[in-house]
Amino acid sequence: MTSALVYADAFERWGPREGPEFERMSAEIATAMREHAEVTSELERTAKESDRAVVAAWAEAHVVLLEHVVSTTADEDVQRTARRQVEEWRKVARGELAYVDESGGLVDVDAAQYAGYFGVSPAP
């Protein structure tokens, strides 16, 4: 879903302003935005209704993954983004946020480590 929204942003900036491609992409962007809002709403509701200890463990797993990124990359932009996300996940653990809208295009967590926590590979 993140990649669709990133593509939509690029299209809105640099794509055509009229014609069939514009019409098709406008519809796809509207669908992606609606789906993002629905998933976000569901995630917020689930996080609020879930056991705080479970949510805190979920958040801590993300902190560990992101701290690994910080310690293993030399890219300062990636480090800065990962550190920001660590702080946001800590807010989730404290109950101050429901979830973190991660920058999936920039921070690439270790797939094996992610699968160890969540049982699946991270979304591209």
Side-chain angles (χ1 to χ4, degrees):
M1 185 174 306
T2 301
S3 61
L5 294 175
V6 170
Y7 182 75
D9 179 64
F11 186 85
E12 287 179 336
R13 289 176 192 232
W14 300 296
R17 299 287 177 230
E18 58 186 40
E21 184 180 13
F22 174 80
E23 298 300 325
R24 180 182 56 78
M25 279 305 300
S26 293
E28 289 180 19
I29 290 168
T31 298
M33 299 283 285
R34 185 178 61 256
E35 289 173 354
H36 184 265
E38 290 169 0
V39 168
T40 299
S41 178
E42 178 68 16
L43 184 55
E44 288 175 344
R45 185 189 61 72
T46 300
K48 287 176 185 173
E49 294 174 358
S50 295
D51 182 306
R52 287 297 323 144
V54 171
V55 173
W58 176 59
E60 182 57 30
H62 284 87
V63 168
V64 171
L65 289 166
L66 291 162
E67 286 178 339
H68 178 74
V69 169
V70 170
S71 70
T72 59
T73 186
D75 187 315
E76 291 179 12
D77 289 335
V78 172
Q79 287 181 348
R80 188 172 24 261
T81 301
R83 284 186 185 111
R84 179 186 52 77
Q85 290 178 8
V86 164
E87 292 309 312
E88 290 176 348
W89 279 110
R90 287 184 173 140
K91 289 179 182 178
V92 170
R94 294 190 301 264
E96 297 169 17
L97 283 176
Y99 76 103
V100 177
D101 196 4
E102 295 179 324
S103 301
L106 183 61
V107 176
D108 192 19
V109 298
D110 179 88
Q113 191 180 19
Y114 188 97
Y117 281 116
F118 304 115
V120 296
S121 294

